[in-house]
Amino acid sequence: MKRFLFPRWVNPFLGVLGLAILGGLVYATAMGGLVTDPQTLNVGYMPTQPVPFSHALHAGQLKMDCRYCHNTVFDAAHAAVPPTATCVNCHAPAGSNGQPATSAVHTESERLQPIHESWRSGRSMAWKRVHNLPEFVYFNHAVHVNSGVSCKSCHGRIDQMETVFQAEQLSMAWCIECHRNPDEHLRPIELVTKLDWVPPEDWDQAAFAKEQREKLNINPQTHCAVCHR
C-alpha cells in the first residue's frame, strides 16, 4: 500500500492560512468588540460645518429657543434643519445698493458668505448631520418632547457647544435604559428647550414624574417593534 504524501507547497500554504485566520480573528474582535462597543458609537463626533455656527452664542448667550431653527420638533418625527431663509432673517446679505433688504447682523462677515451664496443661488446649505441613527431605527422627536423629555437628555448642553458634537451614545442599550427608567428625564413640557433649567430646591422629581406619566399616559415600551418598524 502506497502512502499519500502532501505536495511540498502545502507547508507554506498552511502558514499563510494560519496568518489569514489570525488576522481575521483580530479584525473581527476589533470590529465587534471596539467599533460596535456602546462607548465608541460616535460619541464626540464633531464634523466641520460649511459655516461655523455657534450654538454657545445663539442658544447660550442670546437665549434663542431651539424651536426658532428646529421648528418641527414638537410636531414631527424629525427636528428640521433650518433653511437658509431662517439664517437670512438675521444675517441678510447686502443688495445691489450695498444695503441689506432687512435689518441684519454682520452683513459683511466672511464666515457668512456661504449663507449669502446659498440665498442668492437658491441651493441649500450642505449642513453635515451630527446625530445620525441607522436607517432601520425609528425615532420620533415629537413624542419625546411632548412627553417632557428635554433636548438635553439626548443632545447634551447644546447651548454650551461652540461646535456641536455627539454627547451621548445613542446605542440601543442606551435607549432601552431610558425607556425602562424615564422618570429622571421628565420635566415640565414648557421647559424642554430651556437647557439650563435647574429644578428648584423643593422639587420632588419622583412625585412630578409619577404625575406626568399618569397625566400623559407615558409608558415607554422596550419590545423590538417600537424602534424597528
Side-chain angles (χ1 to χ4, degrees), residues 2 14 25 31 39 97 102 111 115 124 128 135 153 182-183:
K2 293 184 178 180
L14 291 177
L25 290 174
M31 294 299 293
Q39 297 296 336
N97 60 354
T102 59
R111 293 185 174 188
I115 294 291
S124 299
K128 296 180 182 178
E135 292 184 0
S153 290
D183 291 9

Side-chain angles (χ1 to χ4, degrees), residues 24-67:
L25 290 174
V26 171
Y27 177 78
T29 300
M31 294 299 293
L34 296 178
V35 177
T36 59
D37 187 283
Q39 297 296 336
T40 61
L41 289 176
N42 289 332
V43 174
Y45 175 58
M46 184 192 297
T48 300
Q49 301 291 354
V51 173
F53 180 87
S54 170
H55 279 76
L57 171 62
H58 292 79
Q61 295 181 38
L62 300 179
K63 305 298 181 184
M64 290 177 62
D65 192 284
C66 306
R67 289 167 289 186

Side-chain angles (χ1 to χ4, degrees), residues 34-45 130-134 137 152-156 161 165-178 185:
L34 296 178
V35 177
T36 59
D37 187 283
Q39 297 296 336
T40 61
L41 289 176
N42 289 332
V43 174
Y45 175 58
V130 180
H131 304 85
N132 191 20
L133 295 177
V137 176
K152 173 180 174 291
S153 290
C154 297
H155 299 296
M161 297 181 187
F165 61 89
Q166 183 174 317
E168 300 291 348
Q169 299 171 15
L170 307 185
S171 66
M172 183 171 70
W174 182 80
C175 294
I176 289 177
E177 181 181 357
C178 183
H185 298 285

Side-chain angles (χ1 to χ4, degrees), residues 9-217:
W9 57 264
V10 171
N11 290 333
F13 172 76
L14 291 177
V16 173
L17 180 61
L19 289 174
I21 293 174
L22 180 62
L25 290 174
V26 171
Y27 177 78
T29 300
M31 294 299 293
L34 296 178
V35 177
T36 59
D37 187 283
Q39 297 296 336
T40 61
L41 289 176
N42 289 332
V43 174
Y45 175 58
M46 184 192 297
T48 300
Q49 301 291 354
V51 173
F53 180 87
S54 170
H55 279 76
L57 171 62
H58 292 79
Q61 295 181 38
L62 300 179
K63 305 298 181 184
M64 290 177 62
D65 192 284
C66 306
R67 289 167 289 186
Y68 182 77
C69 294
H70 306 289
N71 57 4
T72 64
V73 70
F74 271 83
D75 305 306
H78 298 284
V81 175
T84 301
T86 300
C87 305
V88 169
N89 285 340
C90 296
H91 301 292
S96 56
N97 60 354
Q99 298 295 324
T102 59
S103 298
V105 181
H106 300 304
T107 303
E108 302 300 328
S109 173
E110 287 295 325
R111 293 185 174 188
L112 291 171
Q113 290 309 305
I115 294 291
H116 296 166
E117 178 58 30
S118 171
W119 180 247
R120 295 188 185 100
S121 66
R123 292 191 296 269
S124 299
M125 288 292 301
W127 299 110
K128 296 180 182 178
R129 190 165 184 169
V130 180
H131 304 85
N132 191 20
L133 295 177
E135 292 184 0
F136 54 81
V137 176
Y138 175 79
F139 179 84
N140 189 308
H141 276 84
V143 169
H144 288 78
V145 295
N146 283 299
S147 296
V149 178
S150 173
C151 313
K152 173 180 174 291
S153 290
C154 297
H155 299 296
R157 287 297 301 273
I158 293 284
D159 58 321
Q160 296 178 346
M161 297 181 187
E162 190 64 32
T163 302
V164 172
F165 61 89
Q166 183 174 317
E168 300 291 348
Q169 299 171 15
L170 307 185
S171 66
M172 183 171 70
W174 182 80
C175 294
I176 289 177
E177 181 181 357
C178 183
H179 273 220
R180 287 173 176 165
N181 304 287
D183 291 9
E184 63 180 287
H185 298 285
L186 299 179
R187 62 169 66 183
I189 295 176
E190 65 271 17
L191 296 173
V192 297
T193 60
K194 185 173 174 56
L195 306 186
D196 60 353
W197 178 72
V198 177
E201 292 184 3
D202 60 347
W203 183 263
D204 188 337
Q205 180 64 25
F208 168 77
K210 183 176 184 298
E211 180 182 356
Q212 185 89 329
R213 293 184 66 171
E214 292 175 352
K215 177 182 177 181
L216 300 178
N217 192 27

